[in-house]
Amino acid sequence: MAVRRRIARAAVSALVVALAASLLAACTGGVGSGTGIVYAWSGEPQNPLIPTDTSENTGGRVLDALFAGLVSYTADGGVENEVAQSIETADGQNYTVTIEDGWTFTDGTAVTARSFVDAWNYGALSTNAQLQSSFFDPIQGYDDVAVANPTAMTMSGLRVVDDRTLTITLKQPEAAFPMRLGFAAYYPLPRAAYADMAAFGQHPIGNGPYRLANDDAWQHNVRIDLLSNPDYRGNRSARNEGVSFVLYSNLDTAYTDLLSNNLDVLDGVPSSALDTFQDDLPGRTVNQPSATIETFTIPERLPRFSGEEGRLRRQAISQAIDRQQITDRLFAGTRTPARDFTSPAVPGWTPDLVGVSNLDFAPDRARQLWAHADAIAPWSGTFAIAYNSDGGHQDWVDAVCNSIRNTLGIDARGAPYPTFAQLRTEATEHTIRTAFRSGWQADYPQQYGFLAQNYQTGGSSNDGEYSDPEFDALLRASAGATDPVEAQQLIDRAQEILLRDLPAVPNWNRNASGGWSEYVTNVRIGWDGVPLYYLVEKK
């Protein structure tokens, strides 16, 4: 939701968490009291909860609970119709969508075809400056509204036929396009949203399995309270009375709360507990592959990192990192060294792409590459990786920098930011002056989603501003290919360009690791590494 979304930060101080616990106890008689409310870990969302402007995990998980799209995803990444009754096409370019009758938002208004078309046009329009705008790039007319153009306010490829029918015309045939429509950027919005979108983002009105508990449901940096939605009619009916997301800024504090049953679901384990969490929580843990990758981005705009010199330096830095040693020592089997820019949990992954040797630990070759770059222009100064210190990232950043420093003989160090929001603001505004931690948690179960948003020219999460015409052309061709074998070959060729240029340095793929309290059952983690909150049952 940079990092659905962009890799989440482990989230507020022990004082705030203590306050949250006291509020929970005052309101419900204590966590685990049998009220049917599930208490789940999260962090303070970066932005107001607007589907097209939420590009990180903590906000994304709340939106997924509050909204329902045309399709939804099963636990293993399968696609099912949700609000859509049918999505039909004869050519893969022109789609007719019929939505089921009877869907409503939690303010009682009907979900109609216009609820989707207006929301998508709002998200795409350049003047609204939505972080997820490029998700609408495949739709005909997007290029007209994505730039300041007073004559184009809506995408020509969207049309409302009647209350239950809309049509979508794409720039080219894309058979896999309907699979993406369960992602948050494609959620519908009620008419009330447009009166004051900023206010709506603080009190969103959705059509999903949950609704906000009350007008004060989002207590910033404390918690977000949701109740089950009795009018929801989709595939994800809640088996609990609600979910309260407790907003932590320290993963160790969250883990302590889990051990004492003051937190029900935690989908992250602090480094201090990775060796012991399965013993600490017997029969109540998960450690499974998920569709995520963790990276750090080195923007070409940084001094000494443009052109051929920059490419050589990025390759040298990547080959100076001993990923296997770092994952073994720090992550206790919950990370796997990366072999591409996607994830083994997504169809099409292979560890054997041309250029994958740039992800090997090869000290001698790294020093040779650095020397070649120095022959173009000598290096001076410090190589720094920015990270948010409220997210538990210091250990791996220090380890990566130590590996770079010991291999290349340069000054390499971490650059901590106090909060996730501060780091992400500078990254998304393209003002950050160092390399910075990044990553991706899949929005939908396709490799295309990892690549398009992060590395395509103008991609919503292309915070390094990478641009390569050949990569863009290959990616677009892969989306339009009707033969799955050809589509995969084109995706692979696009990735090989990334493995050469390394606009971000892939570190490792992250397992979904976590645990749950003695007061809940039926805890499952989805294909994307996020708990399926609607399935959790409170004892």
Side-chain angles (χ1 to χ4, degrees):
M1 236 201 77
V3 294
R4 231 180 135 190
R5 336 265 181 338
R6 304 47 179 174
I7 294 297
R9 56 145 168 116
V12 203
S13 68
L15 175 62
V16 172
V17 173
L19 174 60
S22 67
L23 287 170
L24 293 174
C27 294
T28 68
V31 177
S33 62
T35 62
I37 301 296
V38 173
Y39 297 93
W41 171 89
S42 189
E44 174 72 9
Q46 179 189 7
N47 292 321
L49 294 171
I50 301 168
T52 51
D53 205 34
T54 296
S55 65
E56 42 75 36
N57 177 285
T58 54
R61 64 183 60 204
V62 181
L63 286 173
D64 290 344
L66 292 173
F67 286 86
L70 292 171
V71 304
S72 61
Y73 305 116
T74 63
D76 60 0
V79 181
E80 300 177 329
N81 284 347
E82 190 164 28
V83 178
Q85 179 175 298
S86 64
I87 303 175
E88 298 177 334
T89 183
D91 58 7
Q93 183 171 8
N94 297 279
Y95 289 88
T96 298
V97 179
T98 303
I99 67 173
E100 281 193 344
D101 195 18
W103 279 83
T104 60
F105 292 102
T106 55
D107 65 354
T109 59
V111 178
T112 67
R114 186 164 297 282
S115 305
F116 288 94
V117 170
D118 288 352
W120 297 6
N121 278 320
Y122 177 87
L125 191 62
S126 65
T127 53
N128 292 328
Q130 299 292 282
L131 291 175
Q132 304 282 40
S133 62
S134 71
F135 277 87
F136 305 104
D137 175 79
I139 299 173
Q140 191 174 91
Y142 169 78
D143 295 339
D144 296 324
V145 302
V147 296
N149 181 356
T151 64
M153 303 297 289
T154 60
M155 290 180 282
S156 59
L158 295 180
R159 186 168 71 91
V160 175
V161 178
D162 56 44
D163 279 352
R164 292 184 54 209
T165 312
L166 66 138
T167 60
I168 307 168
T169 301
L170 305 181
K171 298 174 183 175
Q172 63 175 8
E174 294 194 16
F177 179 75
M179 293 179 63
R180 305 172 198 161
L181 298 178
F183 175 55
Y186 300 106
Y187 287 155
L189 291 176
R191 291 303 308 161
Y194 304 100
D196 187 338
M197 193 63 75
F200 176 84
Q202 300 297 326
H203 303 91
I205 298 165
N207 62 323
Y210 295 92
R211 58 185 173 85
L212 290 184
N214 50 52
D215 290 342
D216 298 319
W218 187 357
Q219 299 177 43
H220 288 277
N221 296 309
V222 179
R223 71 186 200 211
I224 302 175
D225 294 330
L226 309 183
L227 295 176
S228 61
N229 176 11
D231 298 321
Y232 171 75
R233 51 188 294 128
N235 315 316
R236 299 175 290 140
S237 295
R239 299 187 186 181
N240 48 64
E241 294 180 14
V243 177
S244 281
F245 290 103
V246 185
L247 310 180
Y248 290 87
S249 65
N250 184 287
L251 202 56
D252 286 285
T253 304
Y255 186 71
T256 299
D257 279 356
L258 180 67
L259 292 179
S260 58
N261 292 311
N262 286 323
L263 183 69
D264 286 322
V265 181
L266 174 63
D267 56 304
V269 179
S271 57
S272 60
L274 285 172
D275 288 324
T276 63
F277 79 102
Q278 291 175 314
D279 292 328
D280 294 341
L281 302 161
R284 294 184 282 119
T285 62
V286 64
N287 182 24
Q288 68 185 46
S290 67
T292 60
I293 188 169
E294 297 183 336
T295 63
F296 61 90
T297 297
I298 308 176
E300 289 191 59
R301 63 178 177 271
L302 299 184
R304 309 266 69 87
F305 282 102
S306 62
E308 180 63 16
E309 178 192 353
R311 180 185 299 171
L312 291 167
R313 293 202 188 280
R314 285 190 295 274
Q315 291 177 359
I317 285 168
S318 179
Q319 293 181 49
I321 301 169
D322 192 343
R323 294 167 178 80
Q324 190 65 59
Q325 183 184 72
I326 292 170
T327 54
D328 288 345
R329 289 186 176 181
L330 294 184
F331 296 121
T334 63
R335 305 288 192 278
T336 304
R339 304 304 292 166
D340 78 340
F341 284 79
T342 70
S343 163
V346 177
W349 181 86
T350 175
D352 300 318
L353 295 172
V354 173
V356 72
S357 60
N358 278 331
L359 306 187
D360 292 338
F361 178 50
D364 290 340
R365 193 162 67 229
R367 285 187 282 268
Q368 290 172 0
L369 289 164
W370 196 259
H372 290 327
D374 278 347
I376 297 173
W379 173 263
S380 62
T382 297
F383 177 73
I385 301 176
Y387 66 95
N388 50 299
S389 54
D390 64 355
H393 301 289
Q394 181 176 350
D395 287 349
W396 74 256
V397 171
D398 286 348
V400 165
C401 289
N402 286 340
S403 194
I404 294 169
R405 182 168 54 250
N406 293 337
T407 301
L408 299 179
I410 64 171
D411 183 16
R413 63 184 66 181
Y417 280 62
T419 68
F420 174 76
Q422 289 172 285
L423 174 66
R424 289 303 309 149
T425 296
E426 287 197 20
T428 56
E429 292 180 352
H430 307 147
T431 58
I432 196 165
R433 302 311 304 165
T434 67
F436 55 93
R437 87 161 189 93
S438 49
W440 194 256
Q441 186 169 42
D443 301 313
Y444 46 84
Q446 298 175 11
Q447 287 186 309
Y448 179 88
F450 283 81
L451 307 181
Q453 304 311 319
N454 288 301
Y455 307 112
Q456 191 173 41
T457 303
S460 291
S461 294
N462 188 350
D463 298 329
E465 299 180 281
Y466 175 71
S467 180
D468 183 275
E470 184 183 4
F471 171 81
D472 292 347
L474 286 167
L475 200 61
R476 190 172 297 281
S478 74
T482 56
D483 178 8
V485 174
E486 180 188 5
Q488 187 61 55
Q489 290 172 342
L490 291 164
I491 281 279
D492 290 348
R493 286 170 56 193
Q495 281 220 75
E496 287 165 359
I497 292 174
L498 297 183
L499 286 168
R500 178 197 69 197
D501 292 348
L502 296 176
V505 176
N507 287 335
W508 35 76
N509 298 107
R510 186 182 68 184
N511 276 13
S513 55
W516 53 92
S517 78
E518 296 175 314
Y519 295 117
V520 294
T521 60
N522 202 39
V523 178
R524 296 186 64 188
I525 306 296
W527 63 278
D528 58 354
V530 178
L532 304 175
Y533 300 107
Y534 64 94
L535 291 179
V536 181
E537 299 177 19
K538 193 71 174 279
K539 296 180 184 178

